[in-house]
Amino acid sequence: MISEQTTIVPQDYPEPVATENYIIPTLGLHHGSFVFSYLSTFLSYITPYDLPVVYCILELLRDAFHTKVSFLQLILEALKVESGYICLIAIFFLISLIPLCYTIAWGCAKEPDDDLNPGPTVDAIIQAEELSLEESLHCRRSFLWFMLQVIILLLIAGVIAMFVTNEQIASAIDQTPDIVRSSMLDAATFLHDAEAQIRFVITEGLATATERIRQDLDGVDKLLGEPIQHHLALFTGIDIIFESIIDISTSSSNLSRRIHLLQDALARAAKISYEAEYRLDELQIQLSVLQRQCTFRDRPLCDTLRIRNFEDTGLIERLRKLQGDKTLAKLMAMGEAGKNSSMHALTHELTAARSIFRGYAADVRNATEDAADRIQEHLEELVNETHASVAILTETVGALVARVNRTANFSDSFFDRYREIGAILWLSGLAATIMTLLVTLILLSALSCGCCHADSKAGITLILGAVCICIASLALSGFAMLEMLLGAHGQVFICHPLYNEPSYTVLQKLIDKPGLIYPKEPQHGIIGELLRQASPNGTQWPRPVQVSLSSALNECEQGRGSFATFQLDGLVNLSSTSSADHRQWSGLTGAIEGIGAGEEPFVGFTVRIQTILEDMLTDSDLNLTGTRMELTQLSPDKDVLTFIDQLQRVSAQIQDVATSSRMTTLGSRAKRLQLSLLVPLEQLRGDIVYHLTALELQLSPWATQVNKSLSHLRSAQAFLDGEAAEICFNRSDLYRARLRAHLDAYRNYTTVVLHDRCASCRPLFDIFDALRMLFCHHIMDPMNGLWFSSFLCLFLWAAATPLSLILSSTYRRLEILSSKLQHSNSNRYNSRTSVQREDQRESSHWSTQRSVSVHVNAMAESSTDEEYIGPGESSDDVANAEDEDGAVVIEYIELQYENGDPLDYHESLI
């Protein structure tokens, strides 16, 4: 099974580092509480938003942006379709008229002060009524004083709210230039940072991928050649076979040395056998002469003497045959160091085969040089194309940064006018706040005079306060209406579209289609139009950028990458690095497909070794056992010894002394032959038999080893011939897949990093959110709070005006009534009675009524009805007088006691 380990590609590509040098997050625009944000909900109910009328207003805004209509015309045309705002303006105006109308009505309906002086008659009864009226006026004054105090507290709260909101507006307006400049700086920083991160990811990632491909191309011997070599060695065991053949060489050398010893013994035996054969022939001649010289009587004994020569025994023939054996000669020559020896040929072929097998990795490296050069050429083209594409992105971002800088420079001149308008608004707000505070202080001073029992001054001050309210209400209503028009329109037509998440319908209508910036509708939206205008001249876009403003804002809010959010792949085409894209980079793919390893070096590279081993195996087929047995049976020494022994026995039986002497001499000669030649020959024969035995013992395992190695080598070569091509193809395909995997890894890396972790466009949303936070929460919310506080003060003034005038009248009546009571008491009562009357005046209401009733009843008992009617007046006249204005009607009150208890009583009219 082919291991997959070589296809593992490391994915540790360099990661870009985002900058943190943004100013907007450090400004703290989101900190603090925005108390008047709830007014935006109220304004949304009175606004024709999400109605067909809104599109008319959007057209007005577009015309105003292109200076087709003035700002005043824009407001007037907008008010035509804003019934809610017209109603609010009418309400403000009507509420502002309430103090003036009531003051005029109060002045026209005011009673004269002498209405409280009915005349000097019936002082006791009138005094009783005046006491009751005085108590009623005191109660009314207390209630009015309390209500006016509550209104003044609310007015103070409203003044504080006006002052705080006005300062918040002024502070936000003062901070607006800095915040806008910071936004521009952050936008430029974001563009530079995003471009740097995208360039880093693309270029550094591609550099990493190309470097790894180059390393793999340089290491093709280790990544492709050696795996094939190891795989074949594992499945064929060719290294072990080569080692066994080396062992065969060693065994062959030992076998050759043994044959050399055998041949040496054979040569010496042959030499001795030749001499011995000659001496035996001479001995045979001497024996024949001796037999002929024997007497007739001894002839039969002489004829019994026989001596076997080497021809009879066949020893020389055997030695010659063994000495001239070609197989032994080949086996002996096999271990020699000569160039024509089999061992030399085997060693040479074995060395060549091992060199071919072990040098396969280097051969693969040499064979793939041209393909590797073509791949590197295409990689260089890819790098150049990618750098050119990134350069387009760099130029585009540079143009966008220049445009941001021009916008920042333009904003500097705009903010001068903006500060002037802000100063005017702040002065008007401060003037309205001071005016409201002064009126509130007038009312508060009136209350202070009342607390100090300066009733006349309090009444005059209250009237002055009411008059000031009448004048200030008109001015404050105008200010409130102006602030409401600015704040409400800004809230509804600017802030609401800015916070219309996630659709941003109005923004898309204003900017994308047809857009405030462009008089003509852009083909692909504002973002695509900006990128198209900023891109270098002649840039060929693979596809148009179609990014809506809403989708861009939503994705930036989620922190998506700028590359995917703004579809920059239309400007920087990274699809060319994909191994599956054959449209533009088929040359690189074809070059990668052209690299690989072949099986040619392994096909039949052991055939010569097999031939040599087959010859060696054939040469090892020797029958040394028969030869060894024959040599064992042949022994010329024994034959001569037998002849000498026979010669001694026959000579002992010979009667003829001369014959016997000749036989003894012949025996001596045979003995010398045996000792000088046949004994060494016998030793050599033993040595030859030993060498044959040893050779036989060595030859059989050697032949077995040769046969086994040959069988393994044939199997290995068969596997190489049948499977090497497939193994080389599979390994080459894995190597090519490894090269493609580097490009795929780079593509996946750029896809993941550029879409998720690189160049997050969150800073753009932070800039957008900061600007809308500044305008909507730091300017519009306080501005809405300012007109709401002004409206609250108007409403409180409308309520405070009647209270002030009524309380002023109450103070006036109390003053007149108090002076009359003091005058009456000084004429009719003594000082004690005055003290008692004063005590009664300060007593509770029921005790006052009781004293008056008792006094009236006492007068009724001491006087008649005529005395009360007066002289010359009738009862009818009295009745008619009761109907006249200012007449005093006298009622009689009777106290009825329960069970005679003076504390338990009730009053009734008589």
Side-chain angles (χ1 to χ4, degrees):
M1 182 177 180
I2 298 176
S3 175
E4 300 294 334
Q5 185 176 2
T6 58
T7 63
I8 297 177
V9 180
Q11 303 295 326
D12 50 342
Y13 282 85
E15 289 287 341
V17 179
T19 183
E20 297 181 355
N21 299 324
Y22 291 104
I23 305 174
I24 288 296
T26 63
L27 298 180
L29 292 175
H30 293 78
H31 299 162
S33 59
F34 307 102
V35 181
F36 296 100
S37 296
Y38 64 89
L39 290 175
S40 61
T41 305
F42 167 73
L43 293 173
S44 63
Y45 290 119
I46 64 172
T47 306
Y49 199 79
D50 291 335
L51 295 174
V53 181
V54 75
Y55 294 104
C56 177
I57 298 176
L58 295 177
E59 294 295 331
L60 290 175
L61 289 175
R62 186 171 68 89
D63 294 337
F65 183 83
H66 294 291
T67 65
K68 294 181 179 180
V69 296
S70 64
F71 183 76
L72 180 60
Q73 291 176 338
L74 175 66
I75 296 295
L76 294 177
E77 292 295 330
L79 286 175
K80 291 180 181 180
V81 293
E82 295 174 358
S83 57
Y85 290 144
I86 295 175
C87 292
L88 280 180
I89 291 173
I91 292 173
F92 287 178
F93 183 71
L94 291 177
I95 291 176
S96 66
L97 291 179
I98 289 175
L100 180 61
C101 295
Y102 188 85
T103 301
I104 295 173
W106 176 82
C108 294
K110 185 177 181 300
E111 296 178 355
D113 295 337
D114 54 1
D115 291 344
L116 295 175
N117 186 12
T121 59
V122 291
D123 281 342
I125 298 174
I126 294 172
Q127 187 176 13
E129 282 300 320
E130 288 176 347
L131 290 174
S132 176
L133 179 60
E134 184 182 15
E135 293 297 332
S136 177
L137 291 175
H138 276 291
C139 180
R140 181 187 299 177
R141 184 194 65 177
S142 299
F143 174 76
L144 294 174
W145 188 87
F146 174 74
M147 292 301 295
L148 189 59
Q149 185 180 16
V150 172
I151 290 176
I152 290 174
L153 291 176
L154 294 177
L155 281 173
I156 293 174
V159 170
I160 294 174
M162 290 177 64
F163 180 78
V164 172
T165 52
N166 189 52
E167 291 300 322
Q168 286 180 346
I169 295 172
S171 176
I173 291 176
D174 290 338
Q175 292 178 0
T176 299
D178 295 334
I179 293 175
V180 172
R181 291 191 188 94
S182 300
S183 300
M184 294 298 175
L185 290 176
D186 281 359
T189 301
F190 164 75
L191 290 174
H192 283 300
D193 183 54
E195 185 271 335
Q197 291 187 57
I198 293 174
R199 184 179 69 253
F200 179 86
V201 170
I202 296 174
T203 58
E204 292 299 325
L206 183 59
T208 301
T210 54
E211 180 62 25
R212 289 176 179 176
I213 292 175
R214 290 190 176 99
Q215 290 178 358
D216 288 351
L217 292 176
D218 294 337
V220 65
D221 51 347
K222 296 181 179 179
L223 296 174
L224 181 58
E226 290 183 2
I228 294 175
Q229 178 183 337
H230 293 163
H231 184 82
L232 294 177
L234 178 65
F235 280 86
T236 60
I238 193 71
D239 290 332
I240 299 175
I241 295 174
F242 287 156
E243 294 296 331
S244 66
I245 294 176
I246 293 175
D247 294 339
I248 290 174
S249 300
T250 304
S251 301
S252 299
S253 299
N254 296 331
L255 188 64
S256 179
R257 284 194 297 272
R258 179 61 63 184
I259 295 174
H260 270 288
L261 294 176
L262 175 62
Q263 291 292 343
D264 183 66
L266 288 174
R268 288 188 286 114
K271 183 178 179 180
I272 295 175
S273 64
Y274 291 150
E275 181 67 22
E277 182 181 12
Y278 176 75
R279 298 286 296 278
L280 283 176
D281 289 342
E282 289 181 351
L283 189 62
Q284 181 69 29
I285 293 172
Q286 292 177 2
L287 178 62
S288 299
V289 173
L290 178 62
Q291 287 176 346
R292 286 194 300 268
Q293 291 178 355
C294 286
T295 60
F296 180 78
R297 187 182 57 184
D298 295 329
R299 187 174 294 277
L301 289 175
C302 290
D303 290 338
T304 58
L305 295 174
R306 292 286 185 272
I307 184 171
R308 297 180 62 185
N309 57 14
F310 286 169
E311 292 181 359
D312 295 335
T313 60
L315 176 63
I316 294 176
E317 182 181 359
R318 296 297 181 190
L319 292 176
R320 289 176 179 175
K321 183 179 179 180
L322 188 60
Q323 190 176 9
D325 194 327
K326 295 181 180 180
T327 303
L328 285 177
K330 291 175 66 176
L331 290 177
M332 182 180 65
M334 180 182 62
E336 294 179 354
K339 293 184 178 180
N340 297 326
S341 65
S342 299
M343 189 55 59
H344 180 271
L346 179 63
T347 303
H348 176 73
E349 294 296 332
L350 182 62
T351 303
R354 293 180 68 179
S355 176
I356 292 174
F357 189 81
R358 294 182 178 180
Y360 179 74
D363 294 338
V364 169
R365 181 184 180 90
N366 296 329
T368 57
E369 284 184 355
D370 295 337
D373 292 339
R374 288 193 298 271
I375 293 175
Q376 292 193 10
E377 290 176 0
H378 288 289
L379 284 177
E380 192 66 27
E381 294 178 2
L382 175 60
V383 170
N384 294 334
E385 289 290 336
T386 304
H387 285 176
S389 183
V390 173
I392 294 176
L393 175 64
T394 302
E395 293 182 13
T396 302
V397 171
L400 291 175
V401 171
R403 190 164 188 170
V404 170
N405 293 331
R406 288 195 302 269
T407 304
N409 295 331
F410 169 77
S411 63
D412 291 339
S413 60
F414 169 77
F415 284 133
D416 295 335
R417 183 63 178 170
Y418 178 78
R419 289 191 186 92
E420 294 177 1
I421 297 175
I424 294 173
L425 290 176
W426 177 75
L427 288 175
S428 60
L430 182 62
T433 303
I434 293 174
M435 178 185 66
T436 307
L437 180 61
L438 291 176
V439 174
T440 304
L441 291 177
I442 292 173
L443 296 178
L444 184 61
S445 63
L447 289 182
S448 301
C449 292
C451 293
C452 298
H453 302 288
D455 295 345
S456 60
K457 295 180 180 180
I460 295 173
T461 306
L462 288 173
I463 295 173
L464 177 62
V467 174
C468 292
I469 288 175
C470 295
I471 299 173
S473 294
L474 297 176
L476 188 61
S477 64
F479 174 77
M481 285 186 286
L482 177 62
E483 292 292 330
M484 185 201 67
L485 290 177
L486 294 177
H489 282 84
Q491 180 68 43
V492 172
F493 293 107
I494 297 180
C495 295
H496 194 281
L498 292 178
Y499 281 96
N500 185 24
E501 300 172 341
S503 59
Y504 297 101
T505 307
V506 177
L507 280 182
Q508 290 205 155
K509 179 66 179 176
L510 289 174
I511 298 178
D512 278 343
K513 297 180 180 180
L516 284 172
I517 298 178
Y518 301 100
K520 297 182 180 180
E521 181 176 352
Q523 297 180 356
H524 308 295
I526 182 65
I527 297 176
E529 194 70 18
L530 288 174
L531 290 175
R532 184 186 63 80
Q533 292 181 358
S535 61
N537 295 329
T539 302
Q540 297 294 330
W541 292 73
R543 58 184 179 83
V545 176
Q546 297 180 348
V547 182
S548 64
L549 186 64
S550 61
S551 63
L553 288 175
N554 291 326
E555 291 185 5
C556 288
E557 185 178 8
Q558 297 173 3
R560 293 289 303 277
S562 301
F563 193 86
T565 301
F566 302 113
Q567 298 180 5
L568 296 181
D569 52 345
L571 186 62
V572 181
N573 187 14
L574 297 181
S575 61
S576 59
T577 60
S578 174
S579 60
D581 189 1
H582 299 276
R583 293 173 295 179
Q584 295 183 355
W585 290 101
S586 58
L588 177 59
T589 306
I592 292 177
E593 292 297 330
I595 194 170
E599 76 282 0
E600 293 81 6
F602 300 117
V603 178
F605 81 111
T606 62
V607 174
R608 180 59 182 164
I609 299 177
Q610 294 181 37
T611 302
I612 295 174
L613 291 179
E614 288 174 355
D615 293 341
M616 294 173 66
L617 185 62
T618 302
D619 294 339
S620 65
D621 188 16
L622 291 175
N623 185 14
L624 299 178
T625 303
T627 304
R628 178 173 56 79
M629 294 299 296
E630 289 178 357
L631 290 176
T632 302
Q633 295 175 2
L634 297 176
S635 180
D637 182 62
K638 291 182 180 179
D639 292 342
V640 173
L641 289 176
T642 301
F643 172 72
I644 294 173
D645 182 65
Q646 183 183 5
L647 188 61
Q648 289 176 356
R649 288 196 302 270
V650 171
S651 66
Q653 295 177 8
I654 292 298
Q655 296 178 2
D656 185 17
V657 176
T659 302
S660 176
S661 175
R662 285 193 292 273
M663 286 185 178
T664 301
T665 301
L666 184 62
S668 298
R669 292 177 180 176
K671 186 66 174 177
R672 288 194 299 271
L673 175 64
Q674 186 266 334
L675 291 176
S676 62
L677 293 178
L678 295 183
V679 171
L681 182 62
E682 183 66 19
Q683 291 179 354
L684 290 175
R685 185 187 67 84
D687 291 341
I688 292 172
V689 171
Y690 170 76
H691 288 307
L692 287 175
T693 303
L695 180 61
E696 186 178 7
L697 293 176
Q698 289 181 356
L699 188 60
S700 178
W702 178 82
T704 302
Q705 186 178 6
V706 171
N707 187 27
K708 186 177 180 180
S709 298
L710 179 61
S711 176
H712 290 169
L713 189 60
R714 287 173 178 172
S715 299
Q717 187 61 55
F719 180 85
L720 292 175
D721 294 340
E723 302 295 333
E726 183 178 359
I727 293 173
C728 291
F729 176 79
N730 292 335
R731 287 290 174 176
S732 299
D733 191 57
L734 289 176
Y735 178 73
R736 290 189 292 268
R738 178 186 176 92
L739 297 180
R740 292 191 298 267
H742 290 302
L743 295 177
D744 292 339
Y746 167 65
R747 180 193 59 185
N748 297 333
Y749 158 75
T750 53
T751 301
V752 173
V753 174
L754 290 179
H755 285 70
D756 295 335
R757 304 194 301 270
C758 170
S760 172
C761 62
R762 176 69 189 191
L764 285 183
F765 181 80
D766 291 339
I767 294 172
F768 168 77
D769 190 38
L771 292 178
R772 70 178 180 178
M773 176 68 66
L774 170 67
F775 184 80
C776 297
H777 289 289
H778 290 273
I779 296 179
M780 287 297 107
D781 283 352
M783 188 172 292
N784 290 326
L786 184 57
W787 69 255
F788 180 78
S789 301
S790 302
F791 171 74
L792 179 63
C793 291
L794 281 176
F795 181 78
L796 293 175
W797 279 353
T801 300
L803 290 177
S804 300
L805 294 176
I806 294 173
L807 186 58
S808 175
S809 299
T810 302
Y811 276 129
R812 182 63 178 165
R813 296 181 69 181
L814 281 174
E815 182 182 2
I816 296 173
L817 184 61
S818 176
S819 63
K820 288 184 62 177
L821 288 176
Q822 291 177 2
H823 178 73
S824 176
N825 290 336
S826 64
N827 293 334
R828 294 183 57 89
Y829 299 101
N830 55 20
S831 59
R832 181 178 180 182
T833 305
S834 298
V835 173
Q836 293 176 356
R837 182 64 55 84
E838 191 68 26
D839 294 337
Q840 291 177 357
R841 187 176 300 168
E842 294 175 0
S843 63
S844 62
H845 178 70
W846 69 268
S847 62
T848 304
Q849 293 295 331
R850 181 174 177 271
S851 63
V852 172
S853 300
V854 173
H855 179 70
V856 172
N857 287 332
M859 292 179 64
E861 290 176 356
S862 61
S863 304
T864 62
D865 293 339
E866 289 77 9
E867 292 177 350
Y868 286 96
I869 296 174
E873 294 181 357
S874 63
S875 300
D876 294 334
D877 295 332
V878 174
N880 293 330
E882 293 175 358
D883 295 334
E884 296 177 0
D885 292 337
V888 177
V889 180
I890 301 175
E891 295 179 350
Y892 295 91
I893 301 174
E894 181 181 5
L895 297 179
Q896 297 180 2
Y897 297 91
E898 296 291 338
N899 299 323
D901 186 1
L903 298 178
D904 188 7
Y905 67 92
H906 65 274
E907 302 172 354
S908 61
L909 296 175
I910 300 176

